[in-house]
């Protein structure tokens, strides 16, 4: 199966990520939280990607395929086929922000929206944790402070940010999806195919912009991409 990557300035930084970092985000895209392969993954069946299995730079040499896989999850299958590709990362980021009840200013740069999203996610997760869970989280990120307001600015610049986000997602993703299930089913409105006539317009009007199952991918993927961007920026600073 082909994975089409639409040039995306917000994902170009992936070419500077390590093999381990890309392998982690790839695993998230191709396998669910129980370790089972996602049936909707195109990357898992891509001949080029499969042919490099076991190669020490399988993921680094195929970063565009990995980025294309994320774009694929950002759109619905019918629209992807019509376009020939998925959605740009920024559109996926804004969609995830909306699902997590963050009112992002669309005029802000991608980096700033990600910053607000990460802080929003961490604050909400922290408020829902009891003392034991907070202690587990602090240990996971190897924090030397225990107050959120002290922790946040340090964590945003720390290599353990991705670890902390992954730790929280492992226990909260299902609840997040349940909370937003009704919104996900309704989708982005019923006028998505208004500019298209005939069966194509009818088909687009009848499908969700992003399905509930896709949010199992896009929510953690966007949060991890945001973490990776900060890690790469810190190494290049």
């Amino acid at each position: 199966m082909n994975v089409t990557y639409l040039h995306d300035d917000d994902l170009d930084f992936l070419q500077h990520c390590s093999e381990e970092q890309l392998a982690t985000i790839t695993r998230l895209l191709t396998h669910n939280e129980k370790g089972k392969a996602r049936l909707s993954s195109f990357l898992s069946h891509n001949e080029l990607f499969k042919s490099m299995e076991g190669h020490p730079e399988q993921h680094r040499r195929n970063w565009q395929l990995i980025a294309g896989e994320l774009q694929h999850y950002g759109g619905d299958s019918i629209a992807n086929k019509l376009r020939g590709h998925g959605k740009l990362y920024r559109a996926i980021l804004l969609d995830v922000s909306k699902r997590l009840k963050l009112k992002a200013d669309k005029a802000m740069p991608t980096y700033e929206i990600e910053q607000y999203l990460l802080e929003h996610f961490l604050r909400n997760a922290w408020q829902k944790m009891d003392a034991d869970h907070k202690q587990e989280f602090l240990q996971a990120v190897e924090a030397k402070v225990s107050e959120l307001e002290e922790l946040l600015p340090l964590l945003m610049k720390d290599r353990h940010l991705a670890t902390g986000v992954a730790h929280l997602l492992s226990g909260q993703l299902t609840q997040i999806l349940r909370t937003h299930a009704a919104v996900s089913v309704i989708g982005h409105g019923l006028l998505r195919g208004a500019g298209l006539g005939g069966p194509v317009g009818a088909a687009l009007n009848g499908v969700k912009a992003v399905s509930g199952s896709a949010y199992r991918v896009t929510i953690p993927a966007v949060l991890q991409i945001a973490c990776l961007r900060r890690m790469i920026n810190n190494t290049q600073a």
Side-chain angles (χ1 to χ4, degrees), residues 76 78-79 186-189 192 202-210:
D76 64 67
I78 294 177
I186 294 171
H188 286 209
R192 296 174 58 244
L204 282 176
N205 278 330
V207 297
K208 302 180 286 294
V210 180

Side-chain angles (χ1 to χ4, degrees), residues 163-224:
T163 302
V165 169
H167 176 85
L168 295 175
L169 280 169
S170 65
Q172 298 201 13
L173 182 58
T174 298
Q175 183 59 43
I176 289 171
L177 291 168
R178 284 176 183 166
T179 301
H180 300 285
V183 179
S184 298
V185 169
I186 294 171
H188 286 209
L190 299 177
L191 299 177
R192 296 174 58 244
L196 298 172
V200 174
L204 282 176
N205 278 330
V207 297
K208 302 180 286 294
V210 180
S211 69
S213 60
Y215 281 117
R216 285 193 172 277
V217 182
T218 58
I219 289 175
V222 163
L223 289 168
Q224 289 295 336

Side-chain angles (χ1 to χ4, degrees), residues 149-168:
E149 295 309 316
E150 293 180 273
L151 177 62
L152 270 181
L154 295 174
L155 194 56
M156 286 298 170
K157 300 177 182 179
D158 194 90
R159 61 187 176 87
H160 292 108
L161 175 61
T163 302
V165 169
H167 176 85
L168 295 175

Side-chain angles (χ1 to χ4, degrees), residues 21-31 43 49 59 66:
Q21 289 169 335
L22 290 175
T24 298
I25 193 73
T26 299
R27 180 75 180 179
L28 189 156
L29 295 171
T30 60
H31 291 73
L43 186 60
F49 188 74
H59 299 85
I66 298 168

Side-chain angles (χ1 to χ4, degrees), residues 13-22 60 228 232:
F13 82 95
L14 290 176
Q15 63 188 294
H16 303 297
C17 292
S18 68
E19 178 68 14
E20 181 181 1
Q21 289 169 335
L22 290 175
R60 291 203 70 208
L228 278 178
I232 297 303

Side-chain angles (χ1 to χ4, degrees), residues 40-56:
S40 52
S41 171
F42 280 80
L43 186 60
S44 298
H45 305 287
N46 181 269
E47 292 301 324
L48 174 60
F49 188 74
K50 287 168 59 180
S51 70
M52 292 190 67
E53 188 170 350
H55 191 284

Side-chain angles (χ1 to χ4, degrees), residues 89-90 93-94 96-125 127 148-149 152-153 156 161 165 222-223 225-227 229-230:
Y89 172 77
R90 185 176 174 84
L93 169 64
L94 289 170
V96 166
S97 297
K98 183 178 179 180
R99 289 296 166 261
L100 295 183
K101 296 186 177 180
L102 173 67
K103 294 182 179 179
D105 183 350
K106 295 181 180 180
M108 287 194 304
T110 295
Y111 189 92
E112 290 185 22
I113 296 175
E114 288 178 334
Q115 188 81 3
Y116 281 116
L117 179 63
L118 285 168
E119 291 181 1
H120 176 77
F121 173 73
L122 290 168
R123 284 182 187 280
N124 284 350
Q127 291 170 1
L148 182 63
E149 295 309 316
L152 270 181
M156 286 298 170
L161 175 61
V165 169
V222 163
L223 289 168
I225 288 290
C227 293
R229 193 187 312 279
R230 278 144 188 78

